[in-house]
């Protein structure tokens, strides 16, 4: 039975699941208006609850009755009456001219305002601009349109329901469609044990700080002055790493905007105040752009003593010669990098346009040495399958609800540290051979379940077996350790292809570059790492024959 297709009130069930979840886990954190809503909601007739939820799940807060017709609800005006009586919905609301235009279609606008033939020909936006000087004050819907049998309603509790959605999901990018996609079987999620200690929001301050951060983000994107936005940024509690990391990311984004505006001093101050990965390197670059080579060189020297990541080290090495020259210091010694195997191919262009990676794969493929186009999929998937239990450990701040694709703190600086014992146990299996059984068992038991690492559409049993037969556990450990060092940066950049020699139990990863293409920074870092650790890797340069 498909619950979405067979139950016309599936959306009501989903909404009420959220309310129950919040009531059971977060009652002590709720504000009074949120508690009042929960009590009022459950006293409503089913049809009224269903109509309210339909409004909550639709775009906007204004609706005409004729646009709220649902067979399972029945008469819209009858269902709306209890909502109006309890102050959840307003009837005949005050509307600005802009809001009225959102509700009416062009023929209705023509009739309401008795537009001249010239105005009738204009687009709605131009009609609105022409009428605004004359109608600059809100009026009730019936004052605009006169007596009508098609009343207008305003949903008064959308902000409150958005807060409840935040408390449930822990973010604003997930919405009610998550339930539908799960009900339809499109998405499957790992079942996590939600203990009271593992809830995402620990106190009301966490909720209020998140809301304040989101409000600042929305204002900045809407064009508000950045200094006003920064003044309103909440400091966020020191012991809430995932909220603090969101704040530092936002500072980084504002600094990027200021850098594009060439406001070097302001951009520098925000980069310097942000702990988001990459902020220190951008701070050095902004000082350099501002002609402040001395401070830039001093900060670079400090950063070189302890780079935050391989990505930052790569950036610092590029800036070092320029800054040394600018301040009259000796040019730093060039860092010699291990060189990967090089493959040069000249092939005829394919009859049908396709990816160069597929052309090279077909050319190199042999029955005794198959080649797969895996890019980031294979090593990430092997890591995700071996470390499944560690990744989905129900620690505080990691999981808010049953619809998580990944832990909420996946990109936090302390992601690995907070799960140190679990990751040590998982990676320890690479030392005694147990890793094969764990990977294969999770591949079978977790098939199709959402994971931030496992590419189910790429992985199959044949590829999995070949990888386990041909990639030594030491190489897997080195790759997995590097992923954990910087999950955000190191989940990408893997070579495009992998070739296996099953009889010899060996492999080679191959990065493909077509005519005029060059290696990207994250690809260079992975190739350098693999070469340094004797993990077989090659770069294939393809040229077309005339």
């Amino acid at each position: 039975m498909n619950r979405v297709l067979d139950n016309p009130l599936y959306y009501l069930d989903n909404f009420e699941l959220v309310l129950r979840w919040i009531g059971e886990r977060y009652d002590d954190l709720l504000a009074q208006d949120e508690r009042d809503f929960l009590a009022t909601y459950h006293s409503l007739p089913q049809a009224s609850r269903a109509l309210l939820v339909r409004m909550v799940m639709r775009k906007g807060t204004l609706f005409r009755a004729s646009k709220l017709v649902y067979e399972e609800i029945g008469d819209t005006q009858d269902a709306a009456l209890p909502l109006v009586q309890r102050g959840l919905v307003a009837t005949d609301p005050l509307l600005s001219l802009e809001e009225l235009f959102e509700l009416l279609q062009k023929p209705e606008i023509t009739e309401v305002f008795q537009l001249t033939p010239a105005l009738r020909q204009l687009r709605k936006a131009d009609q609105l601009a022409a009428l605004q000087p004359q109608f600059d004050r809100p009026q009730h819907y019936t004052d605009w349109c006169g007596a009508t049998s098609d009343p207008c309603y305003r949903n008064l509790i959308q902000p409150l329901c958005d807060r409840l959605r935040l408390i449930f999901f822990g973010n604003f990018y997930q919405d009610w469609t998550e339930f539908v996609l799960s009900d339809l079987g499109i998405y499957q999620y790992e079942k996590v044990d939600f203990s009271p200690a593992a809830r995402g929001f620990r106190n009301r301050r966490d909720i209020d700080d998140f809301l304040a951060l989101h409000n600042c983000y929305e204002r900045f994107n809407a064009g508000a002055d950045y200094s006003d936005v920064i003044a309103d940024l909440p400091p966020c509690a020191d012991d809430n790493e995932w909220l603090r990391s969101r704040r530092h990311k936002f500072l980084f984004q504002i600094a990027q905007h200021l850098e594009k505006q060439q406001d070097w001093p302001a951009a520098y101050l925000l980069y310097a105040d942000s702990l988001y990965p990459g902020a220190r390197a951008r701070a050095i670059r902004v000082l350099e752009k501002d002609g402040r080579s001395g401070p830039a060189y001093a900060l670079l020297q400090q950063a070189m003593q302890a780079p935050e990541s391989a990505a930052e080290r790569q950036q610092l090495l590029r800036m070092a010669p320029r800054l040394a020259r600018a301040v009259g210091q000796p040019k730093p010694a060039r860092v010699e990098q291990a060189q990967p195997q090089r493959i040069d191919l000249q092939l005829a262009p394919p009859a049908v346009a396709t990816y160069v990676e597929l052309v090279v794969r077909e050319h190199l493929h042999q029955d005794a040495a198959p080649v797969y186009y895996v890019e980031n999929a294979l090593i990430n998937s092997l890591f995700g399958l071996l470390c499944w239990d560690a990744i989905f450990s129900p620690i505080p701040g990691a999981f808010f609800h049953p619809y998580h694709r990944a832990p909420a703190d996946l990109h936090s600086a302390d992601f690995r540290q907070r799960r140190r014992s679990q990751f040590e146990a998982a990676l320890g299996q690479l030392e005694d051979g147990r890793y094969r059984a764990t990977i294969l068992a999770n591949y079978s038991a977790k098939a199709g379940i959402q994971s931030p690492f496992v590419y189910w559409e790429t992985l199959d049993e044949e590829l999995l077996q070949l990888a386990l037969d041909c990639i030594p556990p030491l190489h897997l450990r080195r790759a997995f350790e590097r992923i954990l060092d910087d999950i955000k940066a190191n989940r990408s950049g893997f070579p495009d292809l992998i070739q296996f020699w099953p009889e010899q139990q060996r492999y080679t990863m191959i990065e493909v570059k077509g005519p005029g293409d060059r290696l990207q920074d994250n690809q260079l870092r992975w190739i350098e790492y693999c070469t340094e650790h004797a993990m077989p890797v090659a770069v294939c340069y393809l040229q077309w024959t005339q």
Side-chain angles (χ1 to χ4, degrees):
M1 173 179 175
N2 188 299
R3 198 160 66 90
V4 173
L5 299 179
D6 295 336
N7 176 14
L9 291 169
Y10 68 90
Y11 58 91
L12 184 61
D13 291 348
N14 291 335
F15 186 80
E16 293 179 354
L17 180 153
V18 169
L19 298 190
R20 288 194 302 273
W21 181 278
I22 291 172
E24 292 169 1
R25 289 166 175 79
Y26 292 102
D27 179 68
D28 59 315
L29 308 189
L30 297 182
Q32 190 57 52
D33 62 336
E34 294 159 356
R35 285 201 183 89
D36 291 344
F37 169 72
L38 293 182
T40 299
Y41 173 85
H42 291 296
S43 70
L44 292 167
Q46 183 186 77
S48 300
R49 300 200 310 272
L51 180 62
L52 182 64
V53 174
R54 284 289 193 183
M55 291 183 183
V56 167
M57 292 184 177
R58 284 179 55 170
K59 183 179 179 181
T61 60
L62 290 168
F63 307 96
R64 295 159 72 180
S66 60
K67 305 299 182 182
L68 292 170
V69 177
Y70 300 100
E71 183 178 350
E72 77 278 6
I73 292 175
D75 187 276
T76 301
Q77 296 186 48
D78 288 346
L81 184 59
L83 303 177
V84 174
Q85 292 172 340
R86 288 167 173 78
L88 305 175
V89 168
T91 187
D92 195 23
L94 281 171
L95 303 178
S96 66
L97 185 65
E98 293 87 346
E99 290 175 322
L100 182 68
F101 264 62
E102 291 178 8
L103 283 176
L104 301 183
Q105 297 178 341
K106 281 190 70 177
E108 294 171 316
I109 293 170
T110 297
E111 182 178 348
V112 167
F113 293 99
Q114 295 296 298
L115 297 183
T116 64
L119 284 177
R120 292 178 194 175
Q121 304 304 315
L122 298 179
R123 296 178 302 121
K124 278 184 72 173
D126 295 327
Q127 291 175 341
L128 174 62
L131 292 172
Q132 275 178 327
Q134 187 178 352
F135 301 97
D136 59 347
R137 292 185 179 182
Q139 298 185 60
H140 286 283
Y141 176 70
T142 53
D143 292 333
W144 287 113
C145 300
T148 176
S149 60
D150 187 14
C152 175
Y153 301 106
R154 186 190 293 275
N155 173 10
L156 300 176
I157 59 155
Q158 191 65 45
L160 186 150
C161 287
D162 286 341
R163 294 203 304 271
L164 295 178
R165 179 164 61 89
L166 167 65
I167 293 171
F168 181 80
F169 283 116
N171 59 68
F172 276 120
Y173 62 81
Q174 284 179 291
D175 58 27
W176 309 105
T177 59
E178 294 286 345
F179 296 95
V180 179
L181 295 171
S182 177
D183 289 342
L184 289 173
I186 296 173
Y187 290 150
Q188 301 176 55
Y189 301 92
E190 175 68 351
K191 291 180 171 59
V192 178
D193 179 22
F194 296 95
S195 66
R199 65 183 185 174
F201 292 113
R202 308 157 307 162
N203 48 56
R204 187 68 198 191
R205 177 183 172 175
D206 287 346
I207 298 173
D208 292 339
D209 282 350
F210 193 108
L211 289 168
L213 272 173
H214 182 72
N215 178 259
C216 289
Y217 180 80
E218 293 287 295
R219 286 168 51 202
F220 178 72
N221 285 337
D225 184 84
Y226 82 92
S227 58
D228 293 335
V229 171
I230 290 173
D232 293 335
L233 273 178
C236 295
D238 290 338
D239 60 346
N240 193 322
E241 173 60 29
W242 73 274
L243 264 182
R244 288 178 66 249
S245 67
R246 292 180 72 94
R247 187 182 191 278
H248 286 299
K249 181 179 180 180
F250 185 37
L251 288 175
F252 183 86
Q253 291 170 329
I254 298 176
Q256 284 182 307
H257 170 76
L258 293 171
E259 184 178 354
K260 291 176 182 177
Q261 302 299 313
Q262 299 187 5
D263 188 344
W264 314 126
Y268 168 73
L269 290 175
L270 290 186
Y271 280 135
D273 196 33
S274 173
L275 298 178
Y276 189 71
R280 183 167 59 176
R282 292 315 310 166
I284 296 171
R285 185 72 180 108
V286 163
L287 286 172
E288 183 183 16
K289 290 178 179 179
D290 198 23
R292 300 166 64 189
S293 300
Y297 184 74
L299 184 55
L300 180 136
Q301 293 297 103
Q302 176 186 333
M304 286 296 294
Q305 298 302 313
E308 67 182 22
S309 64
E312 186 187 53
R313 179 176 177 272
Q314 186 181 50
Q315 292 174 297
L316 297 175
L317 289 173
R318 285 180 179 159
M319 290 188 283
R322 291 197 313 270
L323 287 172
R325 185 169 58 250
V327 298
Q329 293 293 322
K331 183 178 179 180
R334 180 169 179 169
V335 178
E336 293 298 329
Q337 298 179 349
Q339 295 300 309
Q341 176 190 355
R342 179 177 177 123
I343 302 172
D344 288 291
L345 291 180
Q346 285 194 337
L347 302 175
V352 179
T354 186
Y355 295 112
V356 293
E357 296 87 352
L358 299 182
V359 173
V360 173
R361 184 192 68 179
E362 291 302 314
H363 177 76
L364 297 178
H365 183 86
Q366 306 170 40
D367 290 342
V371 182
Y372 290 82
Y373 182 18
V374 294
E375 203 171 12
N376 301 315
L378 180 59
I379 300 300
N380 272 303
S381 294
L382 293 172
F383 169 77
L385 291 172
L386 178 62
C387 299
W388 191 281
D389 291 343
I391 294 164
F392 288 98
S393 297
I395 63 176
F399 298 99
F400 292 72
H401 53 82
Y403 301 92
H404 268 286
R405 297 178 177 87
D409 64 337
L410 183 65
H411 294 150
S412 295
D414 62 349
F415 175 80
R416 181 179 187 176
Q417 179 62 34
R418 298 178 73 204
R419 301 159 176 83
R420 176 166 294 279
S421 62
Q422 293 95 325
F423 278 119
E424 287 178 352
L427 297 182
Q429 298 180 48
L430 292 162
E431 308 298 329
D432 57 21
R434 290 178 295 133
Y435 72 97
R436 290 182 65 105
T438 298
I439 288 174
L440 291 171
N442 282 335
Y443 176 74
S444 175
K446 307 297 184 180
I449 294 176
Q450 295 290 299
S451 163
F453 296 100
V454 182
Y455 291 68
W456 296 111
E457 69 280 4
T458 300
L459 209 58
D460 60 28
E461 290 188 21
E462 181 181 26
L463 175 58
L464 187 58
Q465 290 288 355
L466 280 170
L468 293 175
D469 288 342
C470 297
I471 305 177
L474 176 60
H475 293 186
L476 290 177
R477 173 138 201 165
R478 285 172 172 164
F480 297 169
E481 291 279 2
R482 187 168 190 271
I483 290 172
L484 281 171
D485 282 345
D486 188 344
I487 289 175
K488 183 177 177 60
N490 295 341
R491 277 196 297 171
S492 62
F494 289 92
D496 302 304
L497 309 178
I498 188 165
Q499 186 165 23
F500 298 107
W501 287 266
E503 292 296 322
Q504 303 166 36
Q505 293 188 336
R506 65 183 181 90
Y507 74 101
T508 295
M509 294 179 285
I510 305 168
E511 178 62 36
V512 178
K513 290 299 164 188
D517 200 2
R518 64 184 182 86
L519 292 167
Q520 299 173 12
D521 283 352
N522 59 349
Q523 294 170 340
L524 283 167
R525 293 194 299 270
W526 262 112
I527 290 170
E528 179 184 354
Y529 181 85
C530 291
T531 305
E532 288 177 353
H533 292 87
M535 300 163 66
V537 63
V539 180
C540 176
Y541 294 93
L542 172 66
Q543 297 293 331
W544 303 122
T545 58
Q546 294 300 321

